[in-house]
Each structure stands twice: as C-alpha cells, then as structure tokens.
Amino acid sequence: MSTGLGLDDEQRAFLGLTLSMLGIGGVSLAAASELGERRLAVMLRAIARLAGSDTIAVGTRI
C-alpha cells in the first residue's frame, strides 16, 4: 500500500492504528505486530488513558 508519505511498515501501522483509535479509517489490531517497542508503548499509554487510567500495569498476576 502506498501512502505517498514515504512511510515504512512500522510507521504506516502506527499511523493506521492511531487514526483508527480516533475513528478515522479502520485498521485491524493485528497491525500492532508491526510496531517497535517505542511505538507500542505509545499505543498502550493511549489505550490506558482512553480507559481512564494514567498508568499501565504490566506483569503477571499470581
């Protein structure tokens, strides 16, 4: 898919997921598999904030 923006796969996935969260376009959540650690952290913080939380709990519950 060519966007005309010169984006690589990770950048395109990040943009698509971000726009989907805003209700612009529709991108499968599977696009997150294209994201690097930094951009995935941004998406996780955004989802947590949308859910009304300022923190991300990462770990295993026992």
Side-chain angles (χ1 to χ4, degrees):
M1 176 177 142
S2 176
T3 61
L5 299 175
L7 303 176
D8 62 28
D9 289 341
E10 181 184 356
Q11 292 168 329
R12 191 170 27 260
F14 182 73
L15 178 61
L17 284 167
T18 303
L19 292 175
S20 289
M21 288 176 66
L22 297 172
I24 302 170
V27 174
S28 169
L29 190 55
S33 66
E34 297 287 331
L35 300 181
E37 193 171 314
R38 189 176 126 257
R39 286 192 173 100
L40 184 56
V42 170
M43 296 305 299
L44 291 173
R45 280 195 299 275
I47 291 168
R49 177 97 17 134
L50 286 171
S53 175
D54 289 336
T55 59
I56 301 173
V58 178
T60 305
R61 292 186 181 182
I62 298 176

